[in-house]
Amino acid sequence: FRVKQFIYNLETSLLLKLKDANQEVTIIGKIIREPEIKQDYQKLTIDIKKLNEKRTKGKILVYAKRNNQYVQNEKLKLAGKLITPPEFEDFNFREYLKKQGIISLMYYPRVEIEKEANWFYGFLIKLKQRIRNLFNENLPYPENQLLRAIVLGDKKELPDNLKQSFNKSGMRHITAISGMHITILMNILIIFLIELGFWRKQAGIIT
């Protein structure tokens, strides 16, 4: 049922009718992943709420300028043209995005912030960046990137040779945030809180 629903949402999205139409569209949507920062631009994954004032479902990948800092869970208003993702000889970028529900790109649109992320998301993002900085300042490369992948699920800057080594040895899963990681962190926190004097039930609720 979930697969059928996913395919139906892709096939009936207004995005399919308007992409490559060479006309500017207006989109209101929410950033659903942490922005991926590159040297000259940033990539935003947007879950669409409205397209040209009409409600629709779908996701787009936006290439935006780096002059503004956007955060996950912000609601944006975008104005630009929808483009079909390209296909490369050695990599089918279009199918790769389609598996994530993304069927269109938008390059350097005009962007307005409709609604800022709530304080809780803002706090988490600042905390995550602080942890990243701690790892980078106190560990050499690539050990700092490995710890970022294990603790934060941040695998973007892991060197390719290290990824290949993990793949060959069957250990790639240690760089993914999983139930095992959550269980280990929960046990550490519970033991720590009990040592501070909390009852086990209190420690469990706080954790």
Side-chain angles (χ1 to χ4, degrees):
F1 173 78
R2 182 70 187 92
V3 171
K4 289 286 186 184
Q5 185 184 45
F6 180 83
I7 293 170
Y8 175 80
N9 288 340
L10 285 180
E11 292 177 345
T12 58
S13 175
L14 280 174
L15 288 169
L16 287 175
K17 298 176 183 176
L18 293 173
K19 68 179 182 178
D20 298 324
N22 201 30
Q23 66 181 63
E24 190 171 279
V25 299
T26 302
I27 285 173
I28 294 175
K30 185 184 285 188
I31 302 173
I32 57 170
R33 290 184 194 144
E34 187 178 359
E36 192 175 334
I37 309 297
K38 301 293 184 181
Q39 188 173 353
D40 302 317
Y41 63 91
Q42 55 186 319
K43 291 198 284 189
L44 313 174
T45 303
I46 306 291
D47 185 30
I48 297 171
K49 305 300 178 186
K50 287 184 179 180
L51 175 57
N52 288 344
E53 299 301 322
K54 294 180 181 177
R55 289 192 174 276
T56 189
K57 290 185 177 181
K59 297 175 190 173
I60 62 169
L61 184 64
V62 174
Y63 290 75
K65 296 176 182 177
R66 282 198 59 177
N67 53 353
N68 287 316
Q69 186 176 357
Y70 303 106
V71 297
Q72 187 174 342
N73 216 41
E74 270 185 338
K75 192 176 181 182
L76 303 179
K77 183 177 182 181
L78 310 163
K81 295 177 181 179
L82 294 169
I83 308 293
T84 298
E87 292 179 338
F88 305 108
E89 284 185 13
D90 56 343
F91 179 57
N92 194 331
F93 187 50
R94 189 178 302 172
E95 286 300 313
Y96 169 76
L97 291 178
K98 194 174 180 182
K99 288 176 185 176
Q100 303 172 49
I102 298 170
I103 53 179
S104 286
L105 305 177
M106 188 176 272
Y107 290 101
Y108 305 106
R110 297 191 304 280
V111 183
E112 296 175 25
I113 298 175
E114 286 269 300
K115 186 179 179 183
E116 292 186 353
N118 61 43
W119 67 269
F120 182 68
Y121 268 94
F123 166 76
L124 287 180
I125 288 158
K126 286 178 183 176
L127 178 63
K128 192 173 183 180
Q129 189 57 50
R130 189 172 179 183
I131 293 169
R132 276 199 194 109
N133 293 339
L134 278 172
F135 292 163
N136 291 340
E137 290 166 7
N138 294 287
L139 286 171
Y141 181 89
E143 284 84 352
N144 56 359
Q145 300 303 326
L146 177 59
L147 193 57
R148 277 173 55 170
I150 292 171
V151 176
L152 303 173
D154 193 353
K155 302 184 282 287
K156 293 188 289 290
E157 295 182 39
L158 265 181
D160 289 336
N161 63 329
L162 190 56
K163 290 178 185 176
Q164 289 168 10
S165 297
F166 278 131
N167 288 339
K168 289 175 182 176
S169 61
M171 292 179 63
R172 185 70 183 270
H173 64 279
I174 72 165
T175 64
I177 298 295
S178 66
M180 180 183 72
H181 288 83
I182 301 301
T183 303
I184 291 168
L185 288 171
M186 286 177 67
N187 284 328
I188 291 169
L189 279 172
I190 287 171
I191 291 167
F192 175 70
L193 291 169
I194 289 171
E195 288 294 319
L196 287 179
F198 288 90
W199 295 342
R200 182 171 291 275
K201 187 176 180 181
Q202 291 173 326
I205 290 168
I206 292 167
T207 300

